[in-house]
Amino acid sequence: MGAMSARPNPEAAAQQAENNAPHRAGFACFVGRPNAGKSTLTNALVGQKVAITSNRPQTTRHTVRGIVHREDAQLILVDTPGLHKPRTLLGERLNDVVRTTWAEVDVIGFCLPADQKLGPGDKFIVKELAGIKKTPKIAIITKTDLVDSKQLAEQLLAVSRLGEELGFEWAEIIPVSAVKDSQVDLLADLIAPLLPESPPLYPEGDLTDEPEMVMVAELIREAALEGVRDELPHSIAVVVEEMLPREDRPADRPLLDIHVNVYIERPSQKGIIIGPKGKRLKEVGMKSRKHIEALLGTPVFLDLHVKVAKDWQRDPKQLRKLGF
């Protein structure tokens, strides 16, 4: 993975030496309804694509961590799946993951899109948050580029009132636009002082501690979901079976073979993923290969197979096999 070093800022370093401010490091997670802009915000803060972003709800299944390295602090972002009212066993497991994560982080950022009214889903989440007493909570109004200032002011007021109704005070309320890169740095400035004093927990240059195979699977899953009709989002699971360097390649021209199974629930879905004459699967391969090569910094050969794992979302044995 390419190292991304933070730009050295002599003034900040001098300031820090002068204040002798302790270095802080800790974990923050963004919560909110599916599609509230959590993954896009994670990517904007880290400055590289690490969390899967898709306009389909519930695509983040793994706790993908993005790491923000700063002079004064290291912020580790834990991206939990969206919390929702569970309809399947998979849904219940996802919700358990969410609650466990919330109890273990140092700061929680509640994301609310500027262009959508506060709904029952948001209230459900904030009510859950109110029960987590010790952790500071920041309200983040996302997608501010989609609204005018009047609409934004109303949203800020609504989220502030919601905290009051539930008997807690937000540590901060901040509007951001990850797409326009507006106030993203300020958000990091506000989170940093809320973290515990600690030396950096990860080496400089690390962007995520998510195993590469899992990230590769996420990138393929994202490409497979793109532009597919609504019947598919939850019925795709991607498993990277192996990643092996191709033998007999010259040292300056390495190639990584990646063997991948894309699991769907029903034979009828196979055609949707593969497309006429395999065209769609080819596109999925080409698209995800670009991202994977950027992520791993090496050329890859992607071997994709589509398999049916009947009703895997409802079957505990299959869930385990597919890594849930």
Side-chain angles (χ1 to χ4, degrees):
M1 300 208 28
M4 276 186 56
S5 58
R7 285 190 298 274
N9 179 341
E11 279 166 39
Q15 183 90 38
Q16 191 178 342
E18 194 178 276
N19 304 346
N20 205 1
H23 186 279
R24 295 176 179 274
F27 295 84
C29 76
F30 295 142
V31 304
R33 273 183 304 172
N35 202 16
K38 304 181 292 285
S39 297
T40 311
L41 189 55
T42 299
N43 293 336
L45 275 163
V46 177
Q48 251 207 29
K49 186 164 181 165
V50 289
I52 165 172
T53 53
S54 154
N55 55 3
R56 310 217 158 272
Q58 289 155 37
T59 42
T60 311
R61 291 240 173 119
H62 294 278
T63 308
V64 176
R65 296 178 175 82
I67 302 167
V68 183
H69 299 278
R70 296 163 51 106
E71 289 282 332
D72 58 335
Q74 187 180 67
L75 170 60
I76 299 134
L77 298 166
V78 189
D79 197 19
T80 53
L83 188 77
H84 56 99
K85 298 212 162 113
R87 287 191 307 277
T88 60
L89 182 62
L90 174 65
E92 279 171 42
R93 290 223 181 144
L94 289 180
N95 279 359
D96 290 343
V97 171
V98 175
R99 291 199 184 87
T100 327
T101 307
W102 291 3
E104 291 167 359
V105 297
D106 301 298
V107 181
I108 298 174
F110 167 65
C111 295
L112 178 71
D115 63 331
Q116 292 169 29
K117 281 262 185 285
L118 248 173
D122 299 306
K123 290 178 181 159
F124 173 69
I125 291 171
V126 176
K127 210 165 159 177
E128 293 272 333
L129 286 183
I132 298 168
K133 295 277 187 268
K134 290 199 190 84
T135 317
K137 295 167 264 296
I138 294 181
I140 305 163
I141 310 295
T142 59
K143 309 185 183 185
T144 55
D145 50 296
L146 302 179
V147 298
D148 58 24
S149 52
K150 182 172 170 289
Q151 216 176 332
L152 179 58
E154 282 167 11
Q155 195 72 316
L156 291 166
L157 198 61
V159 76
S160 162
R161 282 204 190 114
L162 183 57
E164 280 166 30
E165 275 168 39
L166 293 166
F168 74 89
E169 200 178 327
W170 299 103
E172 306 278 354
I173 300 178
I174 175 174
V176 303
S177 164
V179 174
K180 292 265 190 292
D181 199 21
S182 157
Q183 305 233 92
V184 173
D185 288 342
L186 177 62
L187 175 61
D189 291 343
L190 295 175
I191 294 173
L194 299 171
L195 301 174
E197 291 181 17
S198 159
L201 302 168
Y202 288 87
E204 177 80 55
D206 278 14
L207 292 175
T208 169
D209 76 343
E210 192 60 11
E212 285 177 341
M213 282 170 100
V214 174
M215 290 187 69
V216 166
E218 292 279 71
L219 288 168
I220 293 166
R221 187 162 183 271
E222 179 177 8
L225 285 176
E226 219 157 274
V228 173
R229 289 196 301 285
D230 295 334
E231 69 260 37
L232 277 188
H234 301 100
S235 18
I236 298 180
V238 176
V239 178
V240 175
E241 299 297 339
E242 54 179 14
M243 294 185 4
L244 298 168
R246 174 89 53 99
E247 288 177 13
D248 309 328
R249 295 280 294 192
D252 59 343
R253 289 187 40 237
L255 182 69
L256 193 63
D257 284 315
I258 304 183
H259 300 281
V260 181
N261 286 330
V262 178
Y263 289 97
I264 46 182
E265 292 196 297
R266 293 187 295 286
S268 60
Q269 297 169 331
K270 218 168 172 172
I272 301 174
I273 289 280
I274 293 173
K277 296 197 174 141
K279 186 163 164 265
R280 194 140 193 286
L281 193 64
K282 254 201 199 93
E283 277 168 18
V284 170
M286 277 159 54
K287 199 161 207 162
S288 54
R289 199 182 76 223
K290 273 210 217 67
H291 287 307
I292 292 165
E293 291 183 335
L295 172 77
L296 301 176
T298 174
V300 302
F301 174 78
L302 208 49
D303 177 35
L304 286 179
H305 293 273
V306 180
K307 299 191 165 187
V308 178
K310 205 165 148 3
D311 291 333
W312 62 264
Q313 292 191 58
R314 294 173 193 281
D315 175 351
K317 252 207 338 259
Q318 304 232 41
L319 279 173
R320 270 200 304 280
K321 190 180 120 196
L322 298 174
F324 296 109

